[in-house]
């Protein structure tokens, strides 16, 4: 399952060091080496999957409870009371490491990290068209 060229697989296998904070049978969490804020943590499946939609449902179900558990610990240790969970899929979305990972990023008021959210709006019938296409796509 693991990819010998993948940096996160190497961390899983212990071939390169990481500041590991949590591990169970299916996932590993460690501090991001380039933190956006102190306590910025990554959660990864131990198996090599490039993108979220490749992951089996059962694996996601096993990992999901780790997010709130780790988030509580990150909040307690950093003193933050806010956080983002970020998960990038594909280069245009900002994915640089091609092994699924979830960022847990603690946030402080006025921490300067910011967030670009350039909201637009659907014109005319466009929203209804999209929703109908999505409903059809979900059936296939
Ligand atoms: P992304 O842009 O979503 O693919 O994020 C990749 C993240 O992995 C970045 O925040 C990097 O700082 C982090 N990263 C890359 N290599 C390592 C490493 N060896 N140990 C810990 N974090 C890493
Ligand atoms: Zn990998």
């Amino acid at each position: 399952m693991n990819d010998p060229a993948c940096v996160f697989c190497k961390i899983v296998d212990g071939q390169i060091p990481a500041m590991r904070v949590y591990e169970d049978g299916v996932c590993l969490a460690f501090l991001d080496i380039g933190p956006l804020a102190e306590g910025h943590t990554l959660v990864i499946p131990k198996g090599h999957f490039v993108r979220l939609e490749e992951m089996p449902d059962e694996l996601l179900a096993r990992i999901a409870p780790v997010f709130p558990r780790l988030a509580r610990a990150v909040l307690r240790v950093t003193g933050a009371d806010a956080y983002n969970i970020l998960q990038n899929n594909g280069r245009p979305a900002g994915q640089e490491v091609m092994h699924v990972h979830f960022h847990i990023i603690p946030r402080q008021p006025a921490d300067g990290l910011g967030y670009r959210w350039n909201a637009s709006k659907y014109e005319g019938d466009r929203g209804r068209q999209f929703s109908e296409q999505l409903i059809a796509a979900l059936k296939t």
Side-chain angles (χ1 to χ4, degrees), residues 119-133:
S120 62
K121 62 176 186 171
Y122 289 111
E123 299 291 349
D125 227 17
R126 200 99 175 106
R128 193 185 55 75
Q129 284 170 14
F130 265 110
S131 61
E132 286 176 359
Q133 286 173 352

Side-chain angles (χ1 to χ4, degrees), residues 7-8 11 16 30-34 40 42 88 94-97 101 103:
V7 65
F8 285 178
I11 288 175
I16 62 173
F30 51 91
L31 296 187
D32 194 298
I33 204 169
H40 179 168
L42 300 177
N88 302 325
Q95 185 177 11
E96 291 188 356
V97 176
H101 52 280
H103 299 258

